[in-house]
Amino acid sequence: MKCNACWRELEGQAITTTCGHVLCTEDAKKILSNDGACPICDQVLSKRSVINS
Ligand SMILES: [Zn+2]
Ligand SMILES: [Zn+2]
């Protein structure tokens, strides 16, 4: 499985968003601390919409 934002191979913890994209924790953190929109589909994400998988 690869991060949908930076395409690095996911190692260990990954984040699945409610829009169905998979992000590494690094990108998820970046997104949540900036505009909060998914880089792939532009759906606005909130901390609550991010699920640890
Ligand atoms: Zn990433
Ligand atoms: Zn998305």
Side-chain angles (χ1 to χ4, degrees):
M1 198 155 52
K2 284 180 182 175
C3 171
N4 288 163
C6 66
W7 299 106
R8 275 181 298 194
E9 200 68 46
L10 290 169
E11 283 168 32
Q13 216 179 11
I15 304 286
T16 306
T17 66
T18 48
C19 56
H21 291 115
V22 182
L23 302 170
C24 61
T25 49
E26 207 178 294
D27 283 324
K29 250 184 255 170
K30 227 184 288 173
I31 290 158
L32 290 170
S33 62
N34 291 322
D35 60 3
C38 174
I40 303 103
C41 67
D42 276 339
Q43 190 170 305
V44 176
L45 304 175
S46 67
K47 280 197 171 104
R48 236 176 265 152
S49 73
V50 176
I51 307 141
N52 278 319
S53 58

